[in-house]
Amino acid sequence: EVQLVQSGAEVKKPGESLKISCKGSGYSFTSYWIGWVRQMPGKGLELMGLIYPGDSDSKYSPSFQGQVTISADKSINTAYLQWTSLRASDSAIYYCARQAIADDYFDTWGQGTLVTVSS
Amino acid sequence: EIVLTQSPGTLSLSPGERATLSCRASQRIYSNNLAWYQQKPGQAPRLLFYASSTRATGIPDRFSGRGSVTDFSGTDFSLTISGLEPEDVAVYYCQHYGSSPLTFGGGTKVEI
């Protein structure tokens, strides 16, 4: 079974750093792009960026370029989303999702990681 | 950037009724490169359709997707749920792909 399992909920203070993870299983992790999608409270879905774990090639949506870092460790089938200095506006649920092999829709989603940034 | 506008914002219907959700793109989407997702309360999104009308694995046939039937490109797409069931309560999102940046519509909430 194809699965993406994300790390647990986080509560952080403004200015702190954070790295959340997404572990893939049941498929060739290095052969599919992984995307990170933000969902702010009560709002819709926003693609933040993508990474290809096979060679760590990454792409960022314009709104998120420079705000976060997406990385992957193919030796442990895990993708990451990282912040160096969190803001309250980063409070959201973050989903990782696998892109289909031949097209750019997302065929498998992680369960989501809730990030709360509050002083 | 292609902007996707979904309407209505909220759809309130009774069990057994038909729901029609619209997704309109600001530019033509070629090869019907549009997907639909369902997000039930408290859950992650789930893929319903890709290529505008190809049902994902396990999606019941009361769900149907429609895109351009003439030249496989267009700006108007729809998702229909025939015979609403209580489990269909969710927010439905469209997403275009095939050109960057990928974007999602704002969602349509279906209430029963």
Side-chain angles (χ1 to χ4, degrees):
Chain A
E1 180 193 6
V2 174
Q3 272 195 307
L4 296 172
V5 178
Q6 298 184 230
S7 50
E10 301 274 1
V11 179
K12 292 288 190 179
K13 292 183 173 6
E16 291 186 332
S17 62
L18 176 64
K19 192 174 189 177
I20 63 175
S21 67
C22 168
K23 183 174 177 64
S25 62
Y27 73 101
S28 175
F29 186 72
T30 54
S31 300
Y32 291 76
W33 287 84
I34 292 285
W36 284 97
V37 176
R38 183 176 76 174
Q39 187 167 43
M40 299 182 75
K43 301 298 183 184
L45 306 172
E46 302 172 271
L47 178 65
M48 303 173 72
L50 299 152
I51 190 161
Y52 188 74
D55 60 8
S56 289
D57 184 24
S58 60
K59 314 175 197 178
Y60 293 87
S61 296
S63 300
F64 296 94
Q65 180 80 48
Q67 307 304 307
V68 295
T69 301
I70 296 171
S71 60
D73 184 342
K74 63 184 179 182
S75 69
I76 55 171
N77 289 359
T78 301
Y80 301 96
L81 177 64
Q82 183 175 4
W83 295 260
T84 56
S85 181
L86 285 161
R87 298 180 262 198
S89 57
D90 293 317
S91 296
I93 298 174
Y94 294 88
Y95 294 99
C96 64
R98 187 187 82 163
Q99 282 195 321
I101 193 82
D103 265 318
D104 295 342
Y105 57 87
F106 297 102
D107 64 4
T108 305
W109 292 69
Q111 82 277 19
T113 296
L114 174 63
V115 173
T116 303
V117 184
S118 174
S119 55
Chain B
E1 174 176 317
I2 295 178
V3 176
L4 299 176
T5 301
Q6 292 189 241
S7 61
T10 302
L11 202 48
S12 297
L13 295 167
S14 300
E17 288 194 302
R18 179 189 196 93
T20 301
L21 289 64
S22 170
C23 176
R24 176 163 289 179
S26 60
Q27 304 170 36
R28 296 179 76 84
I29 294 176
Y30 291 93
S31 302
N32 280 334
N33 284 336
L34 188 106
W36 288 93
Y37 302 89
Q38 176 193 60
Q39 187 178 32
K40 295 183 178 182
Q43 295 186 18
R46 174 175 74 147
L47 176 67
L48 292 179
F49 290 91
Y50 58 94
S52 78
S53 61
T54 302
R55 218 175 272 112
T57 303
I59 303 305
D61 60 10
R62 68 175 183 278
F63 289 87
S64 60
R66 181 181 174 90
S68 171
V69 296
T70 54
D71 60 359
F72 299 104
S73 70
T75 59
D76 292 322
F77 301 84
S78 64
L79 171 68
T80 299
I81 312 171
S82 304
L84 273 169
E85 298 191 3
E87 69 207 49
D88 300 331
V89 167
V91 179
Y92 294 83
Y93 295 96
C94 57
Q95 177 229 331
H96 86 86
Y97 55 95
S99 66
S100 291
L102 308 180
T103 55
F104 292 90
T108 290
K109 184 177 184 179
V110 172
E111 300 176 334
I112 296 179

